[in-house]
Amino acid sequence: QPVIHADDREVFGAAVAADGKVRAPVVGGASRQESVRLGLEALAAAGATHVLIHDAARPFVSAALVKRVSEALAEHKAVLPASPVADTLVRAGPDRTADAWVDRDGLYTAETPQGFALPLILEAHRRAAEAGLSFTDDAGVARWAGARVQIVPGERGNAKLTTADDIAAGDARLRAEELVRLGEIRVGTGYDVHRFGPGSAVVLGGVSIPHDRGLAGHSDADVGLHALTDALLGAIGEGDIGSHFPPSDPALRGASSDRFLLAAVARVRARGGWISHLDLTIIAEAPKIGPHREAMRARIASIAGIDVTRVAVKATTNEGLGSIGRGEGIAAIGTATVRLPLGPA
């Protein structure tokens, strides 16, 4: 039962749009304590008998900890996960000098999720609200109301993100965990070439560039996106652009090539992968690529759903050599670096 701020309805809806299991949110109150009580009232009305109350500020909670608290509810009506205090505790005086050292024996740091028999914790919250008392967690509310709170082992990794430093450390931890999970690095390459034909513009890297000719092809003939599509498909070993989008398909006539790159990106994500970098080299005597480089980088990044700093676009000529050097067409080489979950050796 999510409890949210009234201003967060839109962002909450977007976050859970693909998940049909999440209950409609309850709008919280002016304090954490009031928000919890409102969530408990909603669950009680739905007939729930037990509840785990968890702070969104602890995003690293493990399934093992949730299970430990849930199982303890079979024997206890109030369960608190907590870890023994490991740091030395010092009480400061009025002038912020160290005044006393606190014995940490028997001291614990409280965590969430905290588990309760729902009638017990709801009644405790109602009483606390009537008395105008404020508590920092739900186990404190339950203990004030006379409940016996059972401690179960918590997890030091179940960190609470409160300060800007906490959030920065949490971001770093997420990145590190993701890199460990995506421990297999794959590199794929792609190549495409299209001859010039009638037209007044060419499409390269998803950007239309005015020119005295166009590129001939079944789709929009964007050699840049075609090369990157093949590079991504090559990195994950799933064929090439022709096998997924055959030029014989009449539905693809004149199609925008961003749909090809989008499909390749989706296949990477379906494998649990992450695109680390896309590198595109365009080989052409004309038109000039430099003035359009940043627009192409931005467009490719948008299609791939990655930051623009992970996209490189370069250009070169063929020094007058071969068909490209004679100005008969444009070619492109794409390189994709992706990270996938570790697979069979």
Side-chain angles (χ1 to χ4, degrees):
Q1 175 61 69
V3 181
I4 66 172
H5 192 282
D7 294 344
D8 292 332
R9 289 184 183 276
E10 185 175 343
V11 69
F12 176 84
V16 302
D19 192 330
K21 300 178 182 179
V22 180
R23 292 172 57 87
V26 168
V27 174
S31 66
R32 178 196 183 280
Q33 190 167 313
E34 184 180 1
S35 295
V36 170
R37 182 180 58 79
L38 292 171
L40 292 174
E41 297 283 6
L43 285 178
T49 60
H50 293 77
V51 61
L52 302 188
I53 303 174
H54 184 63
D55 293 334
R58 293 184 185 271
F60 297 107
V61 60
S62 71
L65 181 57
V66 172
K67 182 180 179 182
R68 190 152 61 242
V69 174
S70 299
E71 289 178 343
L73 280 176
E75 299 181 21
H76 308 281
K77 292 185 177 182
V79 178
L80 167 67
S83 298
V85 171
D87 297 329
T88 296
L89 299 178
V90 179
R91 179 178 290 109
D95 56 354
R96 290 195 173 231
T97 59
D99 185 57
W101 272 251
V102 180
D103 184 1
R104 66 190 178 194
D105 186 41
L107 294 182
Y108 288 75
T109 56
E111 302 170 20
T112 66
Q114 298 174 4
F116 306 92
L118 195 145
L120 179 149
I121 191 61
L122 178 54
E123 179 60 24
H125 266 283
R126 286 171 175 169
R127 287 175 53 193
E130 291 174 359
L133 297 177
S134 178
F135 296 85
T136 58
D137 74 343
D138 306 289
V141 177
R143 185 70 188 91
W144 166 80
R148 180 179 182 274
V149 180
Q150 180 65 42
I151 293 177
V152 298
E155 294 177 350
R156 298 196 187 282
N158 184 24
K160 183 179 180 182
L161 306 186
T162 304
T163 67
D165 286 345
D166 294 337
I167 294 172
D171 286 342
R173 176 175 168 181
L174 282 176
R175 287 194 295 270
E177 290 180 356
E178 187 72 353
L179 290 177
V180 170
R181 184 182 73 82
L182 301 176
E184 183 173 345
I185 299 175
R186 301 273 197 95
V187 178
T189 59
Y191 174 82
D192 194 39
V193 60
H194 281 274
R195 67 176 66 248
F196 281 120
S200 58
V202 294
V203 180
L204 294 172
V207 175
S208 181
I209 302 174
H211 193 50
D212 58 3
R213 290 175 291 175
L215 287 173
H218 188 62
S219 64
D220 63 4
D222 188 334
V223 292
L225 295 192
H226 293 183
L228 289 174
T229 299
D230 266 351
L232 283 173
L233 292 172
I236 61 176
E238 295 197 20
D240 59 19
I241 191 171
S243 62
H244 294 282
F245 302 99
S248 58
D249 186 350
L252 299 177
R253 183 172 297 281
S256 176
S257 293
D258 56 358
R259 68 184 291 183
F260 308 147
L261 185 56
L262 277 169
V265 170
R267 287 182 172 271
V268 172
R269 291 176 177 164
R271 294 274 296 273
W274 180 62
I275 299 172
S276 180
H277 191 253
L278 294 176
D279 184 21
L280 175 64
T281 300
I282 297 173
I283 309 165
E285 301 300 313
K288 295 287 187 182
I289 302 302
H292 309 281
R293 184 193 317 273
E294 294 309 311
M296 293 166 65
R297 292 181 68 211
R299 180 61 184 143
I300 292 167
S302 175
I303 296 170
I306 58 179
D307 191 83
V308 71
T309 59
R310 297 186 179 278
V311 177
V313 173
K314 310 184 297 297
T316 186
T317 69
N318 229 31
E319 298 291 339
L321 300 175
S323 59
I324 302 300
R326 293 191 298 269
E328 297 175 9
I330 297 178
I333 300 172
T335 303
T337 305
V338 304
R339 302 185 74 105
L340 295 176
L342 289 173

